[in-house]
Amino acid sequence: MRETVFMSRAELVCELVATPQSTAVSDASAAYVAACDTPASPPCDALVSRKLSIAREILLRDLTARMKSSPILGSPAAVRDWLKLHCAHAEHEVFILLHLDVRNHLIEAEEIFRGTLTQTSVYPREVVKSALAHNAAAVILAHNHPSGNPEPSQADCLLTRQLASALSLVDVRVVDHFVVAGDGILSFAERGLL
């Protein structure tokens, strides 16, 4: 639910902890509750889904703040957790750039390409433009595999080499490339593929 992106952290927390009868519940949650407010209705799946979406947004914001305040390489678990929350269960492939400053702090996380169930087109020129626009000293590449298999394909390996080569021409390092698939996540750097 993308509307949570526009809510403040305080609003998100209030909505997360609000009971269905509370006046603090947003109009969207109130509508979900009203639809499920019959004596014979099972627990409202829509309300639970809304609460989970809010909790996910709060976690993403907290992890983003953590990655901005300390070097990413010092907290790889935060990066993995953020990536899992962001794209592990997406039904289509997405390609993400984590732009890093010279101290390896996160500048910005950007979903730069979106594809289909089995592939996404990634253009090196656009990746380089994005890195330069964010004044990144380094980047972490990431994409998901909706199939649930985190093993990189030959195309993934070739793309990683092409992007690392293109980015090196403008003095931007590729720190790692993660493949996210459900609860599994593979690091190119840990595998020696980078």
Side-chain angles (χ1 to χ4, degrees):
M1 302 207 168
R2 299 308 301 162
E3 76 239 19
T4 58
V5 172
F6 302 110
M7 296 172 72
S8 71
R9 189 177 200 290
E11 290 170 324
L12 288 169
V13 171
C14 284
E15 191 160 331
L16 182 64
V17 299
T19 61
Q21 293 78 27
S22 170
T23 57
V25 178
S26 74
D27 293 339
S29 291
Y32 293 142
V33 172
C36 299
D37 197 18
T38 63
S41 69
C44 185
D45 290 341
L47 182 59
V48 170
S49 177
R50 172 84 178 153
K51 297 275 187 180
L52 289 173
S53 176
I54 291 167
R56 179 181 167 274
E57 182 66 27
I58 291 169
L59 287 170
L60 279 169
R61 289 181 187 188
D62 288 350
L63 288 167
T64 299
R66 190 166 141 201
M67 292 186 304
K68 286 184 175 187
S69 66
S70 62
I72 277 186
L73 302 179
S75 59
V79 175
R80 288 174 183 268
D81 290 344
W82 188 92
L83 288 169
K84 284 180 187 177
L85 283 169
H86 184 78
C87 67
H89 299 291
E91 296 176 355
H92 52 275
E93 279 200 16
V94 294
F95 190 86
I96 300 164
L97 286 178
L98 300 177
H99 301 280
L100 309 178
D101 65 16
V102 294
R103 298 174 299 146
N104 291 319
H105 291 199
L106 179 68
I107 297 169
E108 191 67 45
E110 179 183 23
E111 188 177 299
I112 191 167
F113 299 107
R114 182 177 287 237
T116 65
L117 179 64
T118 58
Q119 66 182 356
T120 188
S121 296
V122 177
Y123 302 99
R125 181 179 194 279
E126 297 302 316
V127 172
V128 170
K129 279 175 50 179
S130 180
L132 291 174
H134 287 88
N135 200 26
V139 294
I140 293 176
L141 313 171
H143 76 282
N144 67 321
H145 282 177
S147 67
N149 181 1
E151 287 300 315
S153 66
Q154 287 183 347
D156 293 338
C157 294
L158 177 62
L159 175 65
T160 303
R161 288 192 298 273
Q162 288 174 338
L163 292 176
S165 177
L167 288 163
S168 72
L169 294 173
V170 291
D171 296 323
V172 177
R173 290 179 301 115
V174 174
V175 175
D176 205 344
H177 185 167
F178 289 101
V179 180
V180 182
D183 290 334
I185 189 163
L186 179 134
S187 161
F188 274 56
E190 288 174 1
R191 277 274 183 96
L193 298 173
L194 192 61

